[in-house]
Amino acid sequence: MKWLMITCKEATYLISKKEENKLTWLSKIKLRGHLAICSMCRRFEQQSGFIGRMAGKMHIHATLPPESKEKMQKTLQAQ
Amino acid sequence: MGANLRLKNCKQGREGVNKSIMPCCQQAGSCLCANSHLSFFCYNTYSNGHQCALCGIFCMFMRYYTPMSQTLLNPDKWVDNFADALYSYTLPRVNDAALAEDLVQETFLSAWKAKDGFKGEASEKSWLFTICKNKIIDHYRKKAKDIVQPIAANERQDGYFDEAEHWTNETKPAEWGIDYQQAMDNKDFYKILDACKRKLQQIQQSVFVMKYMEDMDSADICKALNITSSNYWVLIHRAKLQLRTCLEKNWINLK
């Protein structure tokens, strides 16, 4: 059964792959087996998915200084 | 009466109709009425707002090939309307105010050059954002050439796992006490996520931004950054581990 066992490091690596559906069937079984017995990696999976989703939504409101806007406007008009 | 009256009606119709119901005619010259009039064709109002048969039929024909929601570009208003939005979009993706400004400027210039090719399939805003997105990816592509950083694929010690490759006591994931499925709209969280992202290595940052913020396909990212797919997975893996730890340290403890 040793060939089915993976370490936490490998499991976390496979979790990233799983998020993009790039797992082979063997890796899928390995990962599922590991997640069944390792609560830390289960937690990692949840948090990893959360980070990915939040990064996609990340929005930081920033405004350009008026001088730069003016400069842009001038450059555009010069075209 | 015939022709003269019809001609008069047609002219009034041409000037009076609401442009929004005649999308194909918003572009100067695409309406046959605009230049020369054949009074013979001026008849009554067509369903698409034309009073001239020739234009009406031409318009129907054009509509078949062009989407209804065809929009006009308004380059004079670009800076006022979209500069801040584009800047807000670019800034967290490049982490550099001056660079973000340059990219926005370039976006406008490219858009200006390409404005004749604008077909109106998308709104003006999403068209500009697409251009901006390509500028950002181009920037990463250029930067990837400068980064000469060996990516050790099998680095054994990375600090997150012990010799047996299990979580160490310091690095094991703690319970965050939130609903992971629920999106969170929290400015502090975004700030910390942004700060943590800045701490990543350059190449990890590129990969992370392209993957999670630009939602690119892994194959495209590998091609753009000129890395192998196993390198890509290693980079994503490390970035995730590092971000998670950083978030846990700075955000969860702060809560």
Side-chain angles (χ1 to χ4, degrees):
Chain A
M1 279 300 275
K2 189 133 188 151
W3 56 276
L4 265 182
M5 302 292 274
I6 50 171
T7 62
C8 291
K9 188 175 175 177
E10 284 170 285
T12 48
Y13 177 80
L14 292 182
I15 285 169
S16 298
K17 275 195 157 182
K18 186 188 167 198
E19 284 170 4
E20 292 187 40
N21 295 322
K22 295 273 164 67
L23 281 187
T24 58
W25 62 272
L26 183 58
S27 321
K28 247 182 229 170
I29 295 170
K30 283 180 179 170
L31 180 60
R32 198 169 287 184
H34 183 91
L35 289 180
I37 53 167
C38 178
S39 65
M40 291 301 149
C41 289
R42 275 203 301 275
R43 196 175 279 168
F44 178 86
E45 187 185 17
Q46 288 184 317
Q47 295 176 350
S48 160
F50 180 72
I51 293 172
R53 282 194 300 277
M54 292 306 284
K57 290 206 187 84
M58 186 144 98
H59 183 82
I60 290 170
H61 189 74
T63 44
L64 272 171
E67 311 89 70
S68 332
K69 279 195 200 173
E70 243 170 67
K71 211 180 84 195
M72 279 181 196
Q73 189 75 51
K74 272 186 197 142
T75 326
L76 259 185
Q77 272 158 2
Q79 288 293 306
Chain B
M1 97 175 219
N4 265 345
L5 184 65
R6 285 210 297 267
L7 178 62
K8 202 177 148 211
N9 282 346
C10 191
K11 272 185 176 155
Q12 276 172 350
R14 172 73 192 134
E15 280 149 19
V17 279
N18 179 1
K19 279 199 168 180
S20 63
I21 57 170
M22 302 165 39
C24 72
C25 299
Q26 286 184 358
Q27 282 169 336
S30 70
C31 180
L32 296 179
C33 266
N35 301 322
S36 62
H37 248 294
L38 296 163
S39 60
F40 177 75
F41 291 103
C42 288
Y43 202 50
N44 48 28
T45 310
Y46 280 76
S47 61
N48 45 18
H50 286 275
Q51 296 203 328
C52 160
L54 202 59
C55 293
I57 291 162
F58 183 70
C59 184
M60 270 184 242
F61 182 74
M62 290 295 285
R63 272 200 197 176
Y64 188 74
Y65 292 103
T66 48
M68 286 294 284
S69 60
Q70 187 158 36
T71 43
L72 257 190
L73 291 182
N74 203 349
D76 297 335
K77 291 268 187 272
W78 279 352
V79 176
D80 288 340
N81 290 346
F82 303 115
D84 283 338
L86 287 170
Y87 184 64
S88 303
Y89 179 84
T90 313
L91 189 58
R93 286 166 170 77
V94 297
N95 293 337
D96 181 342
L99 180 63
E101 208 180 303
D102 285 348
L103 287 175
V104 174
Q105 170 85 76
E106 275 178 41
T107 302
F108 285 140
L109 287 178
S110 301
W112 179 269
K113 278 175 200 146
K115 71 182 187 329
D116 295 331
F118 181 72
K119 292 280 192 303
E121 284 112 347
S123 72
E124 187 177 25
K125 187 176 179 182
S126 58
W127 182 65
L128 284 171
F129 270 89
T130 312
I131 296 176
C132 185
K133 200 171 161 164
N134 286 331
K135 291 278 167 211
I136 295 171
I137 293 166
D138 268 352
H139 158 72
Y140 277 120
R141 193 175 287 141
K142 270 182 220 145
K143 208 168 70 175
K145 281 185 194 147
D146 304 336
I147 306 172
V148 199
Q149 218 166 39
I151 307 161
N154 288 313
E155 199 183 313
R156 281 200 62 80
Q157 268 308 329
D158 49 21
Y160 293 100
F161 301 95
D162 60 17
E163 293 83 41
E165 298 195 345
H166 291 292
W167 295 100
T168 65
N169 258 334
E170 296 85 59
T171 58
K172 66 182 183 195
E175 184 51 64
W176 286 2
I178 51 163
D179 183 0
Y180 297 113
Q181 297 307 316
Q182 203 82 48
M184 199 176 34
D185 202 24
N186 184 328
K187 272 189 191 142
D188 293 334
F189 180 83
Y190 287 134
K191 254 183 215 160
I192 292 168
L193 182 58
D194 192 44
C196 287
K197 182 170 66 64
R198 283 164 196 248
K199 284 187 201 152
L200 297 174
Q201 284 172 14
Q202 280 298 329
I203 181 95
Q204 286 179 347
Q205 251 182 61
S206 309
V207 170
F208 185 82
V209 169
M210 288 163 109
K211 166 71 199 136
Y212 292 101
M213 296 172 74
E214 297 292 351
D215 205 20
M216 278 171 75
D217 191 65
S218 56
D220 295 337
I221 299 176
C222 292
K223 214 192 274 167
L225 298 180
N226 200 14
I227 54 176
T228 63
S229 76
S230 67
N231 276 340
Y232 167 81
W233 291 112
V234 171
L235 287 170
I236 281 278
H237 183 216
R238 296 256 183 81
K240 273 279 182 59
L241 285 167
Q242 196 179 327
L243 268 179
R244 201 206 64 78
T245 313
C246 177
L247 277 173
E248 192 165 295
K249 237 185 249 161
N250 295 295
W251 178 62
I252 304 300
N253 292 345
L254 193 116
K255 244 190 354 167

